[in-house]
Amino acid sequence: AQSVAQPEDQVNVAEGNPLTVKCTYSVSGNPYLFWYVQYPNRGLQFLLKYITGDNLVKGSYGFEAEFNKSQTSFHLKKPSALVSDSALYFCAVRNTGGFKTIFGAGTRLFVKA
Amino acid sequence: DSGVTQTPKHLITATGQRVTLRCSPRSGDLSVYWYQQSLDQGLQFLIQYYNGEERAKGNILERFSAQQFPDLHSELNLSSLELGDSALYFCASSVEQGPYTEAFFGQGTRLTVV
């Protein structure tokens, strides 16, 4: 069965510092991995995805994510955090032939000025 | 703006009632997904349609049903509502149905059952 774990409920970081939001997954077959962000009272917004190829994926708003097959991880990163990055971040996974997207529980990112 | 439109934005109804949530996907998107977001359950996949046909079912209760119409808009019907059905219901759409395709989410319908 597919599953996604986001081990941290909340991540706190100071503005200008690098940030990492962690995600590990379990899936049979090749994984397709996604990060979405949710701002208050809004729907989820796609940030980036890993399909195949380069393990470092670049996405919107300066975010990137590193796929690590041996550790079954797909951590979201940004070199320099902004206060406006404060939001709820979701990692999601699908597998080959799978129609369901499984979302993690979400990690709340708080960037302090 | 994702291009996915959901109506209504807010809905308050009593237990035992039935409601219909509506979703218009982005122009050109054939696939529609429904999700339920609640504090205790997180984001739960309910059901997916592709070009009018059901493609996948998740944790959707028997009291809930959905359909996708020929014009590709979709409706989620919730009946015999219970207090626990109070949640944010999202619709999302994508061009294709494949696993590598990202989805675009609407702003959601907040359902409150009293």
Side-chain angles (χ1 to χ4, degrees):
Chain A
Q2 297 169 224
S3 66
V4 176
Q6 293 181 243
E8 301 152 318
D9 290 337
Q10 180 164 315
V11 169
N12 299 308
V13 65
E15 188 174 34
N17 282 0
L19 70 87
T20 299
V21 182
K22 295 180 181 177
C23 170
T24 58
Y25 67 90
S26 174
V27 70
S28 57
N30 293 324
Y32 299 97
L33 296 155
F34 303 82
W35 276 101
Y36 289 85
V37 60
Q38 185 179 26
Y39 297 100
N41 302 313
R42 303 294 298 272
L44 276 70
Q45 195 174 323
F46 169 73
L47 276 180
L48 51 79
K49 66 181 177 183
Y50 172 82
I51 304 301
T52 186
D54 196 348
N55 290 342
L56 186 64
V57 179
K58 293 191 183 299
S60 307
Y61 312 120
F63 284 94
E64 57 189 29
E66 187 167 12
F67 170 66
N68 187 318
K69 189 172 182 179
S70 62
Q71 296 186 5
T72 61
S73 67
F74 189 56
H75 300 333
L76 181 70
K77 300 182 181 185
K78 187 173 182 181
S80 178
L82 299 172
V83 172
S84 58
D85 292 331
S86 299
L88 187 56
Y89 289 80
F90 290 94
C91 180
V93 66
R94 295 175 87 168
N95 66 340
T96 308
F99 293 108
K100 295 182 194 180
T101 301
I102 304 299
F103 284 83
T107 297
R108 190 164 297 280
L109 174 67
F110 181 70
V111 182
K112 183 177 168 183
Chain B
D1 183 7
S2 67
V4 178
T5 304
Q6 287 188 249
T7 57
K9 285 190 168 50
H10 301 275
L11 199 49
I12 301 176
T13 189
T15 54
Q17 295 298 305
R18 173 190 168 95
V19 297
T20 297
L21 312 184
R22 183 187 167 99
C23 171
S24 294
R26 289 189 323 160
S27 177
D29 284 0
L30 299 178
S31 203
V32 169
Y33 313 78
W34 285 99
Y35 289 88
Q36 180 193 59
Q37 186 179 35
S38 60
L39 283 175
D40 54 344
Q41 295 287 325
L43 195 62
Q44 297 285 320
F45 167 72
L46 295 179
I47 198 163
Q48 179 196 1
Y49 282 85
Y50 179 78
N51 204 19
E53 293 190 11
E54 183 183 303
R55 274 291 180 261
K57 256 185 176 178
N59 303 320
I60 188 166
L61 300 172
E62 285 192 12
R63 300 183 284 109
F64 296 0
S65 65
Q67 54 183 327
Q68 185 180 28
F69 295 87
D71 67 354
L72 301 177
H73 92 270
S74 179
E75 292 181 355
L76 179 68
N77 299 297
L78 315 176
S79 61
S80 303
L81 285 167
E82 302 174 359
L83 295 177
D85 297 327
S86 296
L88 196 49
Y89 291 84
F90 285 111
C91 169
S93 72
S94 62
V95 171
E96 300 174 8
Q97 59 179 334
Y100 42 81
T101 306
E102 64 271 25
F104 294 84
F105 283 74
Q107 293 198 19
T109 294
R110 184 170 294 282
L111 173 66
T112 303
V113 182
V114 297

